[in-house]
């Protein structure tokens, strides 16, 4: 042993990777200003063009949320108002790199201090754009990472991630970063191991690094025995994954043969492209608020999106949830700014407050229902009146479609169980066609620990006896009254939580697609 350096952090995308350290640095310092302001302006204009062309190339090879993000960045870069303060500064004598950085820094500061979570989240995109143009200005993209390298640094831009070749392995180790970032989402989707928030400000020495993104750590300059232990752990992890991959092909059942329906959670119709319908029992939750990106989708756009998922499901059940905008999912033009958005106007509360927007979604759902086994559920239901009102709107829109001779079907209408009032008194909701437990919100509301606040993450546990008792009560209520009960929060895909959920009586889970294999493997190990 001796000189190795161990850093601990948080696993943001699971897996193991071993490879040479590649330092992520910015190359802005290399800029050499041109002779005149006119030439500087020309240089910056060209650099913006180069960065835009690079984004357009990246868009070609991506889909889903990554493509949405790149399109947002391209739209920002194409907006003249972004660069105009930089051009003004260059005319006043500033160098192009400084002028661009200052203009973007001012914009980023504005986004970061916004009360609106949507804009705060978008500041990462602006930082990414800032770096892309600086790279183009200095023609210093830096060397590409060798294949299989561990990219080590403060943070990594999503476009840098997308431009990296991950086909030979490799991983990401960050001293800052967050598991809720765009890059973390991309890393999970591509299976690239990633650790964030590493506890040390050391500059990683060149040489081999061992990245353990199962437990959250990295070893720099490992000794021979550390290398050996790491390889054993990595092999054990791969073996567990193989078992899981094996399990994914079969319907899930417990060790004693009890069938557990295992469905997937999706947010965008393109999410299903990577999922083989034969590996799951349908869609347990389609979160539609993500369709409400930067503009509100019209009825036709929504109808096509819902129909695409029903067509893919080929007769298996698909549960689509009406928009759960608000909380940590702001939608420009729909959600309102609030001091405490998790306890505010979100989900069904907002839909009922904006019937103009809700009715469009209802019509699209009624029409799509003719194309498969559609069920519709309402998020954030707290009192029975909300369910009754939402059902009445469905009935009104169905009557209007009838009168207009438009093909439609009334789907079963159910509710999410994520507000404690419903879990405590489920008998008030006996009219609902089905119940789906949203353990993410139920846990945060029962434990008074925000789901997006790492400082209270230790309290935010679905396995807390108080949360489990409510889940069990809802499962029992459903069984006694013949009302189907499922669970669609992230806990359903967490191998550590699955035994407790099955013991609580659940037999129907809906999980993130990336968790499907591990969830099925975990189910097969439980005796209930
Ligand atoms: C939940 O709260 O568990 C849930 C599935 O809904 P969302 O995560 O979209 O709030
Ligand atoms: Mg929820």
């Amino acid at each position: 042993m001796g000189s190795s350096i161990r850093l601990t952090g948080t696993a943001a995308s699971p897996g193991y990777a071993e490879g040479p350290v590649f330092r992520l640095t910015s190359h802005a310092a290399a800029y050499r200003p041109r002779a005149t302001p006119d030439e500087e302006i020309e240089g910056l204009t060209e650099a913006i063009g180069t960065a835009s062309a690079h984004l357009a190339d990246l868009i070609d090879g991506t889909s889903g949320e990554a493509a949405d993000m790149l399109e947002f960045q391209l739209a920002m870069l194409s907006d003249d108002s972004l660069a105009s303060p930089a051009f003004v500064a260059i005319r006043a004598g500033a160098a192009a790199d400084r002028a661009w950085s200052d203009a973007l820094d001012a914009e980023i500061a504005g986004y970061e201090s916004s009360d609106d979570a949507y804009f705060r989240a978008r500041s990462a995109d602006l930082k990414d754009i800032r770096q892309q143009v600086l790279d183009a200005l200095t023609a210093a993209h830096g060397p590409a990472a060798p294949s299989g390298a561990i990219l080590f640094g403060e943070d990594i831009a999503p476009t840098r991630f997308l431009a990296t070749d991950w086909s030979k392995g490799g991983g990401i180790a960050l001293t800052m970063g967050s598991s809720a970032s765009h890059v973390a989402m991309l890393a999970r989707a591509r299976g690239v191991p990633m650790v964030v928030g590493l506890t040390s400000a050391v500059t990683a020495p060149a040489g081999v690094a061992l990245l353990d993104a199962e437990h959250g750590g990295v070893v720099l300059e490992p000794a021979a025995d550390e290398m050996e232990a790491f390889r054993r752990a990595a092999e054990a992890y791969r073996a567990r994954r193989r078992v899981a991959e094996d399990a994914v092909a079969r319907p899930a059942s417990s060790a004693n043969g009890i069938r557990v329906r295992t469905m997937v959670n999706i947010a965008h119709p393109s999410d299903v492209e990577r999922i083989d319908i034969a590996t799951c029992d349908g869609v347990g939750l389609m979160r539609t608020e993500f369709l409400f990106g930067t503009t509100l989708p019209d009825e036709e756009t929504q109808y096509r999106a819902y129909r695409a998922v029903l067509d893919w499901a080929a007769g298996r059940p698909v549960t689509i949830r009406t928009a759960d905008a608000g909380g940590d999912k702001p939608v420009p033009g729909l959600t309102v700014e609030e001091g405490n958005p998790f306890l505010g106007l979100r989900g069904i509360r907002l839909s009922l407050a904006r019937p103009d927007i809700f009715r469009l979604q209802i019509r699209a759902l009624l029409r799509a229902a003719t194309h498969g086994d559609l069920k519709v559920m309402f998020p954030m239901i707290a009192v029975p009146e909300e369910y009754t009102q939402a059902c009445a709107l469905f009935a009104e829109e169905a009557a209007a479609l009838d009168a207009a001779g438009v093909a439609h079907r009334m789907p079963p209408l159910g509710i999410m169980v994520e507000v404690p009032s419903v879990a405590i008194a489920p008998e008030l909701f006996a009219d609902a066609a089905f119940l789906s437990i949203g353990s993410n919100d139920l846990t945060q509301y029962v434990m008074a620990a925000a789901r997006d606040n790492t400082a209270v993450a230790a309290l935010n546990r679905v396995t807390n006896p108080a949360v489990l008792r409510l889940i069990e009560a809802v499962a029992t209520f459903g069984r006694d009254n013949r009302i189907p009960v499922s669970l669609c929060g992230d806990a359903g895909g967490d191998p550590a939580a699955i035994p407790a959920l099955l013991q609580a009586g659940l037999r129907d889970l809906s999980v993130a697609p990336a968790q499907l294999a591990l969830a099925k493997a975990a189910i097969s190990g439980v005796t209930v």
Side-chain angles (χ1 to χ4, degrees), residues 359-374:
R359 282 178 191 273
L360 286 184
Q361 180 163 42
I362 293 173
R363 279 201 294 277
L365 287 165
L366 286 166
R367 289 171 52 204
T370 59
H371 299 288
D373 185 3
L374 176 67

Side-chain angles (χ1 to χ4, degrees), residues 5 19 58 70 78 115 158 178-179 188 206 236 250 270 336 374 419 421 432 448 491 498 519:
I5 305 167
L58 285 176
L70 294 170
S78 314
D115 288 337
S178 138
S179 48
R188 288 191 291 269
R250 294 188 304 271
S270 66
V336 291
L374 176 67
V419 177
S421 63
I498 284 171

Side-chain angles (χ1 to χ4, degrees), residues 202-355:
V202 293
T203 339
V208 168
L210 307 176
L211 181 73
D212 170 355
E214 189 181 16
H215 307 98
V218 63
V219 184
L220 304 167
E221 305 199 300
D225 57 344
E226 287 172 310
M227 193 97 108
E228 238 173 73
F230 176 87
R231 286 179 181 163
R232 273 198 306 274
E235 187 41 47
Y237 176 80
R238 280 192 282 274
R240 281 200 303 282
R241 280 233 60 114
R242 278 195 296 275
V243 171
E245 243 96 79
D246 219 38
V248 83
R250 294 188 304 271
S253 48
S254 68
N256 53 328
I258 309 257
R259 174 91 164 88
V260 178
R261 286 210 314 166
T262 318
M263 316 191 59
V264 286
N265 293 348
I266 61 168
H268 198 273
S270 66
D271 289 352
V272 300
E273 286 163 14
R274 291 184 293 265
I275 309 168
D276 176 358
I277 181 68
T279 61
C280 65
D281 295 300
V283 173
L285 165 65
M286 177 175 178
R287 292 178 163 99
T288 59
E289 52 278 7
F290 295 102
L291 289 175
F292 291 59
T294 39
T295 49
L296 298 176
D298 59 21
E299 180 183 326
E300 214 44 45
T301 307
Q302 294 192 52
Y303 165 74
R304 280 198 300 273
Y306 307 149
R307 182 175 174 177
V309 176
L310 287 159
D311 286 346
W312 165 83
R316 296 195 192 209
V318 171
T319 301
I320 298 183
R321 183 175 71 183
T322 62
D324 182 25
D328 57 346
K329 293 172 286 196
V331 173
L334 177 57
T335 50
V336 291
E337 296 211 352
E338 301 172 290
N340 203 342
F342 277 132
L343 301 183
L345 199 59
R346 65 171 284 205
I348 194 67
R349 304 167 183 186
L350 186 57
S351 291
L352 292 174
R354 293 294 303 272

Side-chain angles (χ1 to χ4, degrees), residues 80-175:
D80 292 342
S81 63
L82 187 70
S84 61
F87 290 127
V88 171
I90 293 173
R91 293 220 176 281
D97 65 333
R98 195 65 344 244
W100 171 255
S101 278
D102 288 350
L104 268 284
D105 287 349
E107 196 77 9
I108 290 163
Y111 272 57
E112 281 179 339
S113 62
S114 168
D115 288 337
D116 191 327
Y118 173 80
F119 287 109
R120 286 199 302 278
R122 286 297 187 188
S123 68
D125 288 314
L126 282 169
K127 288 181 187 160
D128 195 342
I129 295 170
R130 178 182 58 193
Q131 191 59 42
Q132 290 169 59
V133 172
L134 285 175
D135 286 349
L137 255 184
T138 54
H141 291 277
S147 55
I150 308 296
L151 277 53
F152 188 101
E154 267 192 6
D155 209 344
I156 176 173
T159 49
R160 173 113 203 206
F161 176 92
L162 290 168
T164 301
D165 174 12
W166 298 107
S167 62
K168 307 254 168 13
I172 302 170
L174 302 177
T175 53

Side-chain angles (χ1 to χ4, degrees), residues 285 287 289 321 324 328-329 346 379-380 416-419 437-442 444-445 451 488-489:
L285 165 65
R287 292 178 163 99
E289 52 278 7
R321 183 175 71 183
D324 182 25
D328 57 346
K329 293 172 286 196
R346 65 171 284 205
M380 289 296 293
M416 296 276 298
V417 180
E418 50 186 349
V419 177
I437 299 173
S439 52
N440 303 336
D441 279 313
L442 184 62
Q444 80 160 344
Y445 295 133
R451 57 195 279 181
C488 63

